[in-house]
Amino acid sequence: MSQAGNSNRITRNYLDSLLIETRYMNSDNPDTGFTLYGETFASPVMTAALSHLEQLGEGGMARGIALGAKKAGCVMWYGAAEESEIEMLAGTGVRLIEIIKPYANRDLIYKKIEHAQKLGLLAVGIDIDHPFSEDGSPDIVDEEEMKALTTDELAQIVRSTELPLITKGVLSLYDAKESLKAGVRGMVVSHHNNRIEYALPPLYILPEIVKLAGPDVPVFVDCMIQTGMDAFKAIALGAKGVCIGRPLMSAYTNDRKDGVFDYLTKTRGELAKAMAFTGCTNLNRMDPSVIHRDCFIG
């Protein structure tokens, strides 16, 4: 793939092109407290829905990230996994959101959602952007074929559970409209780590999706979110929260669960600093007008 079309690079450049203005008058120490689906957390910075993490030694990286997120007071998202792995993660006490693939065998989706509900997870989600492989043929994950969901199928899945159902991989008003039509209770704006080249940066389309979703359906962002300033830009533009992935894997490699805790705590501090410098005293008072698109940096 040409580096010119790499969606991660495009997303990173777009994030860096967003500048902030400062507002000091009448500001105060900010509160990063975050409420999601009736529960309160220390920060809107969460782990991304990572999958297939190594399991060496007491649960390995997946468990270490869970423990670090719990200690930091953050939500953990997690992707493709066996039931035993989800049980292990839930057993750490972290509040967990499980993201499920769009299996062609729809019974697998319902089975995983039923399991998540029995475990009392915070929410579940569906990777709507994972039906196709790189050549456009049906994707295969863990020997299971994937298939795109219809709006009617998604609506049936939403009705099948008491848990909030989230669609992940929304990158258009079309998919956002169909998701809302089906009754979802959350959406993740994402191109799934460069699944297709030349994808829109999530923050480019975010404000339109937030406007469409309205105040009752939270919209989240992932892809290249790495710092508290990245988080601030996304939340100021309307995101309810953000997800960080690969940096937490590196943090775990460097210092296990303490590295994950330290990274999430540092990111929360960076977010608080940006909020303080722009007069955003809490997450309900974030103002998109502090964000400006840079026109001078190449």
Side-chain angles (χ1 to χ4, degrees):
M1 181 188 298
S2 167
Q3 182 63 20
N6 185 290
S7 296
N8 286 335
R9 181 196 63 80
I10 293 168
T11 296
R12 184 68 255 167
N13 287 348
Y14 188 80
L15 268 164
D16 290 340
S17 78
L18 299 177
L19 308 181
I20 64 169
E21 64 178 63
T22 56
R23 298 179 182 177
Y24 300 114
M25 298 297 297
N26 304 307
S27 190
D28 202 349
N29 294 330
D31 176 10
T32 62
F34 169 62
T35 300
L36 182 62
Y37 302 130
E39 299 186 30
T40 301
F41 303 93
S43 167
V45 178
M46 306 170 285
T47 81
L50 301 169
S51 302
H52 306 295
L53 298 184
E54 56 88 3
Q55 294 298 303
L56 300 176
E58 299 183 351
M61 184 179 289
R63 186 171 187 272
I65 290 177
L67 291 171
K70 180 191 175 188
K71 186 177 179 183
C74 298
V75 175
M76 181 181 190
W77 299 61
Y78 202 67
E82 297 293 330
E83 288 186 355
S84 59
E85 188 174 4
I86 297 299
E87 290 166 7
M88 177 271 292
L89 294 173
T92 66
V94 73
R95 297 304 285 136
L96 185 64
I97 298 175
E98 180 183 5
I99 300 297
I100 299 165
K101 299 298 181 193
Y103 298 105
N105 178 359
R106 303 306 199 208
D107 288 343
L108 280 177
I109 297 175
Y110 287 102
K111 184 173 182 286
K112 285 180 173 289
I113 289 175
E114 183 181 3
H115 182 249
Q117 186 165 308
K118 286 180 179 177
L119 291 175
L121 302 192
L122 182 62
V124 291
I126 304 286
D127 262 331
I128 65 167
D129 63 351
H130 214 291
F132 306 115
S133 64
E134 288 187 4
D135 65 1
S137 62
D139 202 4
I140 306 294
V141 178
D142 295 331
E143 301 182 353
E144 291 288 342
E145 184 174 312
M146 304 292 114
K147 184 179 179 182
L149 289 163
T150 69
T151 305
D152 285 344
E153 285 177 321
L154 180 58
Q156 291 171 11
I157 293 168
V158 169
R159 291 194 296 267
S160 76
T161 180
E162 298 173 2
L163 294 177
L165 196 293
I166 299 163
T167 45
K168 180 176 178 291
V170 175
L171 201 64
S172 65
L173 286 175
Y174 176 81
D175 279 342
K177 287 175 183 175
E178 296 306 300
S179 294
L180 293 168
K181 197 183 299 182
V184 302
R185 292 176 58 191
M187 294 181 282
V188 182
V189 183
S190 168
H191 55 63
H192 205 128
N193 189 39
N194 194 38
R195 277 193 71 77
I196 187 166
E197 59 271 31
Y198 293 102
L200 283 174
L203 265 62
Y204 181 89
I205 192 74
L206 172 67
E208 294 179 67
I209 292 175
V210 168
K211 182 178 179 181
L212 180 69
D216 296 328
V217 178
V219 179
F220 312 98
V221 169
D222 76 1
C223 299
M224 299 306 294
I225 303 294
Q226 298 171 341
T227 67
M229 181 59 81
D230 292 343
F232 172 80
K233 292 174 182 179
I235 296 166
L237 290 174
K240 177 74 172 178
V242 301
C243 300
I244 293 181
R246 278 166 169 68
L248 293 184
M249 296 172 69
S250 298
Y252 175 82
T253 299
N254 292 335
D255 197 18
R256 299 301 190 253
K257 66 179 184 295
D258 290 335
V260 174
F261 167 77
D262 289 344
Y263 196 100
L264 289 170
T265 301
K266 177 174 178 285
T267 304
R268 177 188 174 191
E270 293 166 347
L271 170 62
K273 174 184 175 180
M275 291 171 67
F277 279 49
T278 55
C280 300
T281 54
N282 61 60
L283 298 176
N284 294 321
R285 296 191 62 185
M286 302 292 271
D287 186 343
S289 69
V290 304
I291 306 292
H292 299 267
R293 182 77 197 276
D294 163 50
C295 56
F296 349 100
I297 298 177

